Amino acid sequence: MAKRKKSNFQWIKETLELKPDHHWESPPEYNIFVAGRGAVRFNVPRSWISEPQEKSFKFMDKKPPDDDCCLEVSYNHLPPNDWTLFPLKSTLKKIMEDDSRDVIERGEVITVKRQTARIMWCEIKFIDTQAEAREAFSRTCVGLGSNIQCLITFDYWADQAEQLIPVWDEVMRSLTLGLYIRDPRTGLAFPD
């Protein structure tokens, strides 16, 4: 069997001048993150640092190693199929149960209502022992819609939950899958 070529996939950041009548809208303190022409889209705090990875994209409140939280997103294009039958809730529960960190609490699976996507997330509380023992939260979201599957994780310190939970809430509120942008200067979106 032939070996597969290594992917040289690279993120491309491009800044375009918006048209005066553009349709982009986000809260004033947020930017809109768009991956894959609209395969995945959500709002992220304007002041956060972005860092592309090989197969994902990270957002942090400060430059590492001084960061206190990390939001990471990845996505896959799925073959055309009826994904409404996929056991999303049990899959997410299994992912959370298999977490290898020192988990001290497990939350229930939360469903986010959308017309065109199934979005669910769950939270664990754990003891992070990398530097000193400290309580932290980790939230994991799985979304399926328009033949796109996304995974979003958010890790943050327990003592900063009050200021960081609203960030997660805005990400979940604004999360859109498979609404493609034909012209990013206008922000007009069309389903696939």
Side-chain angles (χ1 to χ4, degrees):
M1 181 179 344
K3 285 187 177 180
R4 294 177 75 181
K5 286 186 178 180
K6 256 192 169 179
S7 172
N8 287 335
F9 181 78
Q10 292 181 342
W11 292 96
I12 299 169
K13 181 178 180 180
E14 187 175 359
T15 303
L16 301 171
E17 191 69 33
L18 293 176
K19 292 188 176 181
D21 60 343
H22 71 83
H23 296 273
W24 294 108
E25 289 183 25
S26 71
E29 64 278 5
Y30 284 82
N31 282 337
I32 302 168
F33 170 73
V34 180
R37 292 182 26 252
V40 177
R41 180 176 71 197
F42 57 84
N43 298 335
V44 67
R46 182 167 288 166
S47 62
W48 283 21
I49 308 298
S50 59
E51 193 176 276
Q53 305 296 301
E54 186 177 335
K55 295 184 179 182
S56 65
F57 208 89
K58 283 186 178 181
F59 299 93
M60 294 145 296
D61 62 335
K62 297 176 212 140
K63 279 197 175 281
D66 299 323
D67 56 315
D68 288 318
C69 62
C70 178
L71 179 78
E72 188 168 7
V73 61
S74 62
Y75 72 95
N76 294 305
H77 291 273
L78 301 173
N81 201 349
D82 180 6
W83 294 102
T84 59
L85 304 176
F86 183 81
L88 192 58
K89 187 173 186 175
S90 60
T91 301
L92 179 57
K93 276 185 165 183
K94 178 79 171 123
I95 291 169
M96 300 308 278
E97 287 168 6
D98 291 347
D99 196 294
S100 62
R101 293 176 280 195
D102 185 8
V103 177
I104 55 177
E105 269 181 47
R106 294 185 193 282
E108 294 298 315
V109 173
I110 308 295
T111 300
V112 179
K113 301 222 183 267
R114 290 289 191 284
Q115 286 182 331
T116 60
R118 295 171 54 218
I119 300 168
M120 296 182 183
W121 66 269
C122 192
E123 172 183 87
I124 59 169
K125 188 175 190 180
F126 65 99
I127 302 295
D128 185 349
T129 56
Q130 289 181 10
E132 61 184 66
R134 189 171 174 190
E135 289 185 352
F137 285 104
S138 182
R139 291 184 172 191
T140 300
C141 167
V142 179
L144 285 172
S146 300
N147 296 322
I148 297 293
Q149 175 270 320
C150 80
L151 175 67
I152 302 174
T153 59
F154 187 38
D155 294 343
Y156 57 95
W157 300 117
D159 59 6
Q160 295 177 337
E162 188 175 327
Q163 68 196 48
L164 292 172
I165 288 174
V167 171
W168 178 262
D169 292 344
E170 179 57 24
V171 170
M172 291 297 101
R173 185 200 66 75
S174 61
L175 179 59
T176 307
L177 301 175
L179 202 56
Y180 293 96
I181 311 298
R182 290 188 184 157
D183 183 353
R185 297 168 301 162
T186 66
L188 282 175
F190 300 92
D192 60 345

